[in-house]
Amino acid sequence: MNAAALSAYQPSDSLLAKLRRRTARWHVARPLDAAPRRTRICFTFDDFPKSAADTGADILDSVGAKGCYYACTGMVGTENHLGEMFDEGDLKTLTASGHEIGAHTQTHLDCSQAPADIVLADIDANLRNLVAMGHDEIVRQFAWPYGETRRDLKPRLATRFDAVRGIHPGVNGRRADLMQLFALELNADESTIERAAHMIEQSTGAPAWIFVFTHDVRQKHSKWGTTPAHFRRLVNLAHDTGAILQTPSSALDAIMQAERA
Ligand SMILES: [Zn+2]
């Protein structure tokens, strides 16, 4: 799928599709078998544009935070509504700085619409592309494109990934679905910034595993992105609360190893 098609695509809004989306989230495929005792916050980027890899990473690095980049290799070297997209060099730079590379399908597939074997083949092709680009670390994280998934599909990712992020707003505690974790989006709607700030502040009294996600981090960003100032504000806020700002795999390992009750 080319970049123009990607930007034009909208998930199906038929009644059946909506119902499937609504019910999929309530079928927990792999529950988190531990409760976070400290708040751990993962700042993440989908697809991902170069502005996330440079500006986004600079802001995270300024407070010693490490994030995750969910790569869609079909977008490598292209330019779309999110701006210039990542390339091989970005994978190397991010990994060398301690950030994590996650996966996000090769073609930015709507996984709720395609047959399971097509979805899994697309996911595997994306992983092979990452290896071909020189990324030699095991990819443990995945994010559903458009947040779209299906009840029958979620368990099938449990053998491929340790954790999978969705887009339904919320924070994660014991019994959270590791195959569709809640996340807080930052986009052009300023209420999303306030919502994330509020949830981060709330977590000081109730430890949680929090995902924040966006796309481009630019002054003139897309409707799926945010400004450097907004992103910096949230990263600084998260840092000031005393939360641990780390990659999803580091957070998951810590929760499972040190915090299992
Ligand atoms: Zn995406």
Side-chain angles (χ1 to χ4, degrees), residues 60-139:
L60 290 174
D61 288 338
S62 72
V63 298
K66 299 301 163 198
C68 182
Y69 295 77
Y70 296 98
C72 171
T73 53
M75 296 182 182
V76 168
T78 65
E79 192 168 342
N80 62 24
H81 52 292
L82 304 176
E84 217 182 318
M85 302 304 286
F86 80 101
D87 59 26
E88 218 169 290
D90 296 313
L91 296 178
K92 287 192 175 65
T93 307
L94 290 167
T95 306
S97 314
H99 299 287
E100 181 167 18
I101 303 300
H104 194 54
T105 75
Q106 175 179 242
T107 63
H108 211 270
L109 189 67
D110 179 342
C111 299
S112 71
Q113 300 290 314
D117 56 342
I118 300 286
V119 172
L120 297 175
D122 196 305
I123 287 172
D124 290 344
N126 190 50
L127 294 174
R128 281 197 303 275
N129 290 344
L130 286 171
V131 172
M133 290 174 77
H135 184 69
D136 52 11
E137 303 208 350
I138 293 172
V139 177

Side-chain angles (χ1 to χ4, degrees), residues 46-47 104 108 145-146 215:
D46 289 3
D47 295 353
H104 194 54
H108 211 270
Y146 316 102
H215 293 82

Side-chain angles (χ1 to χ4, degrees), residues 29-47:
R30 191 204 251 178
L32 177 64
D33 185 25
R37 290 187 186 164
R38 289 191 60 183
T39 291
R40 300 177 182 279
I41 304 179
C42 305
F43 284 94
T44 69
F45 307 89
D46 289 3
D47 295 353

